Amino acid sequence: MSDTLPADDSSTWSDGRRSAMKFTPYWLDTAPKGPDRSGTEIGGRVGVAIVGAGLTGLSAALHLARKGADVHVFERETVGWGASGRNGGMATTGMAIGFRDAIDRYGVDAAKAYYLAYIEALDTVEKLVADEGIDCHFARSGKLVLAAKPAHLDGLRKTQAALADHLGRETHLVPKSELGAEIGSGSYHGGLIDPRCGGLHVGKFVKGLAEAAARAGATIHEKAPVEQVKRLGGTKHELVTPRGTVQADQVLVATSGYTGRPFRWLQVRIAPVGSFIIVTEPLGEEVCDRLLPNRRMASTTKNLLHYFRITPDHRLLFGGRARFAMSSPQSDEKSGQILRKAMTDAFPQLAHARIDYCWGGLVDMSMDRMVHAGRQDGLYYSAGYSGHGVQMATHMGKQMAEYLDGRPEANPWRDLAFTRIPGHFGPPWFLPFAGAYYKFRDLIG
Ligand SMILES: Cc1cc2nc3c(=O)[nH]c(=O)nc-3n(C[C@H](O)[C@H](O)[C@H](O)COP(=O)(O)OP(=O)(O)OC[C@H]3O[C@@H](n4cnc5c(N)ncnc54)[C@H](O)[C@@H]3O)c2cc1C
């Protein structure tokens, strides 16, 4: 078989045959549907109300239900509809800001603690998958960070040294001359491998987590947007949805990049930044063996990075912050076109590969790109995963279950001040400016 896929008449975009391409996330399209939870009864008094049925909300629901709490999850759409069903399915270590930046900002001890929280988060995912028997292709196939410019390899070398010196963590630096064993692309200048990271089918994972939470006794309400919240005193609140009103003793807001008006304090601290993904047609195992032979979770060193991986059914998933725009079908399509070009720049052998899926989602960026969790005005929250939430949102669900049970020290991010994003009043008008800034930095960096 040649390295270049044969030209395919049904290839996508600009030829009127786009209908073959789906604008829904591949992960949700290829996961079991799960029961319809949009007709559940909503009313009365509940112990814990969780807003949002993503990884944070569902993991918290599962862990709280295991403790015997009366848990109800309210989801505006359906299970996993938010970022949790739209991401790259990469469960990797490392904060959004990187370990060396964390040392500069917070000092060695705090940076180590934050990094270790990510290592623990990966273990949480692995244990949940095993304990609950979630069939989601979880595998620690490793993370590969690719130097987008020659000078970036030096940065990766320094990161390797910092991880070894401060955490005893073993990673492997791959010079450009040996990169062929890791990736079928000539675009990069070396890489750094962390072999303990992993990937999963995140649609199957989030659906499996919902099933596990329901088995443990939690009730999940779909098509149940929380439209109003009224504080009744302490941590007690009244939550109004179009399907009914409940009084809850405790409320966990797990809405991440989709946080809206009812939770204004949180909304103005999170910038919902669009990230976009395309997925090719099935390429076959042989082609994938040439693209990413070791099935690493790959990403590049740019500020506006690309990330890519092979799916369990041998497609290439390729994502990035193609444009600084909100997700919508039109926006997703434009972003998909930009991503396709980036994908074929990196992998010219895919010039004729059909694109089967294209979608976008909102990454919940905090001002400092760190996770923030705690309690404000009697409401508990955890958000700000800044593109690194597959493992951390799942982990924070578990930790917030402890927090709500009276152990605030379970929150690894408790010492971080959570600042408002200047000028953020609701709609994120500032995103194109932020995009221009990061593009410029990539150009000069
Ligand atoms: C395109 C993309 C790629 C990504 N890739 C990766 C990756 O490879 N690895 C990684 O670690 N992280 C990645 N992330 C980040 C990761 O997906 C998120 O950090 C994580 O899923 C957040 O989970 P969550 O449960 O907190 O929020 P979400 O999954 O976003 O869930 C929030 C839910 O709240 C609901 N909601 C909002 N308001 C209300 C309301 N008022 N009432 C009821 N429900 C409401 C929404 O409908 C939504 O379903 C990516 C994100 C995106 C968008």
Side-chain angles (χ1 to χ4, degrees):
M1 198 184 208
S2 90
D3 253 5
T4 305
L5 290 173
D8 181 341
D9 272 354
S10 66
S11 69
T12 50
W13 280 304
S14 72
D15 62 358
R17 275 165 300 201
R18 218 176 49 208
S19 55
M21 185 167 62
K22 296 185 178 178
F23 288 96
T24 49
Y26 159 82
W27 302 118
L28 295 179
D29 198 46
T30 54
K33 259 198 130 359
D36 178 0
R37 297 178 166 104
S38 62
T40 49
E41 229 173 85
I42 298 179
R45 177 119 187 233
V46 304
V48 183
I50 296 175
V51 189
L55 294 171
T56 304
L58 293 169
S59 168
L62 168 61
H63 288 97
L64 283 161
R66 279 182 183 170
K67 287 170 175 282
D70 167 34
V71 189
H72 287 249
V73 182
F74 299 90
E75 166 56 48
R76 184 165 50 205
E77 300 292 342
T78 46
V79 162
W81 180 90
S84 296
R86 295 169 182 271
N87 56 63
M90 303 183 177
T92 58
T93 49
M95 295 151 269
I97 65 167
F99 185 53
R100 286 188 295 128
D101 285 346
I103 292 176
D104 291 347
R105 232 195 244 180
Y106 305 111
V108 171
D109 289 345
K112 275 169 69 172
Y114 295 146
Y115 195 92
L116 288 172
Y118 273 87
I119 292 181
E120 213 182 304
L122 253 174
D123 294 342
T124 297
V125 172
E126 188 168 43
K127 186 162 167 19
L128 270 176
V129 168
D131 289 353
E132 298 295 339
I134 304 175
D135 175 17
C136 63
H137 311 269
F138 176 83
R140 291 201 188 241
S141 50
K143 167 171 92 167
L144 170 64
V145 183
L146 292 156
K149 298 193 174 182
H152 293 185
L153 190 58
D154 198 39
L156 292 179
R157 193 173 286 117
K158 287 181 185 151
T159 298
Q160 180 186 40
L163 288 173
D165 291 351
H166 298 300
L167 289 160
R169 191 157 178 94
E170 203 185 323
T171 54
H172 312 300
L173 196 78
V174 187
K176 187 173 171 66
S177 57
E178 290 169 25
L179 204 55
E182 287 292 340
I183 184 169
S185 168
S187 295
Y188 306 104
H189 303 273
L192 184 66
I193 294 168
D194 185 334
R196 299 283 300 143
C197 298
L200 41 65
H201 184 306
V202 79
K204 293 183 180 178
F205 181 54
V206 73
K207 299 271 184 180
L209 215 48
E211 292 305 310
R215 270 198 309 272
T219 307
I220 301 166
H221 307 278
E222 294 178 321
K223 300 287 177 191
V226 173
E227 293 178 343
Q228 286 173 46
V229 182
K230 193 167 114 197
R231 192 172 185 181
L232 303 175
T235 61
K236 290 193 174 67
H237 289 79
E238 182 175 83
L239 270 54
V240 180
T241 82
R243 300 213 280 116
T245 297
V246 293
Q247 277 97 46
D249 294 337
Q250 290 176 305
V251 179
L252 171 64
V253 184
T255 49
S256 284
Y258 296 84
T259 305
R261 272 265 158 199
F263 309 105
R264 189 154 167 73
W265 185 87
L266 186 60
Q267 185 188 20
V268 296
R269 282 165 174 76
I270 295 291
V273 176
S275 187
F276 303 88
I277 291 181
I278 53 175
V279 170
T280 66
E281 65 184 308
L283 302 169
E285 198 168 350
E286 265 181 70
V287 172
C288 293
D289 285 347
R290 287 195 288 268
L291 298 177
L292 284 168
N294 301 313
R295 303 295 187 262
R296 310 282 192 206
M297 304 292 123
S299 61
T300 63
T301 48
K302 286 194 173 183
N303 284 304
L304 299 184
L305 56 81
H306 291 127
Y307 48 91
F308 43 92
R309 56 166 293 178
I310 303 296
T311 63
D313 60 350
H314 302 117
R315 302 164 186 266
L316 182 71
L317 175 153
F318 194 94
R321 212 155 295 144
R323 299 160 64 241
F324 270 64
M326 300 291 282
S327 174
S328 71
Q330 296 76 16
S331 175
D332 292 359
E333 187 180 349
K334 273 193 202 153
S335 300
Q337 286 168 347
I338 295 170
L339 281 180
R340 184 180 201 186
K341 172 154 187 335
M343 178 187 84
T344 52
D345 283 350
F347 299 106
Q349 61 271 47
L350 296 183
H352 302 296
R354 197 181 66 228
I355 304 298
D356 279 353
Y357 294 89
C358 169
W359 73 91
L362 298 178
V363 171
D364 54 327
M365 287 284 182
S366 58
M367 187 72 189
D368 55 6
R369 292 201 286 157
M370 297 293 282
V371 184
H372 292 275
R375 201 174 100 181
Q376 178 70 30
D377 303 327
L379 292 170
Y380 296 88
Y381 64 88
S382 179
Y385 306 110
S386 302
H388 294 242
V390 167
Q391 64 308 76
M392 189 48 73
T394 310
H395 184 59
M396 283 308 292
K398 171 171 168 266
Q399 299 309 104
M400 290 310 284
E402 293 302 314
Y403 193 157
L404 267 68
D405 198 23
R407 291 188 51 230
E409 67 278 10
N411 169 18
W413 315 102
R414 60 189 173 277
D415 294 334
L416 291 175
F418 195 6
T419 49
R420 183 182 177 147
I421 295 172
H424 185 5
F425 303 106
W429 58 269
F430 44 83
L431 290 183
F433 301 99
Y437 168 73
Y438 284 118
K439 259 188 205 147
F440 177 67
R441 282 197 29 184
D442 279 338
L443 207 69
I444 59 170

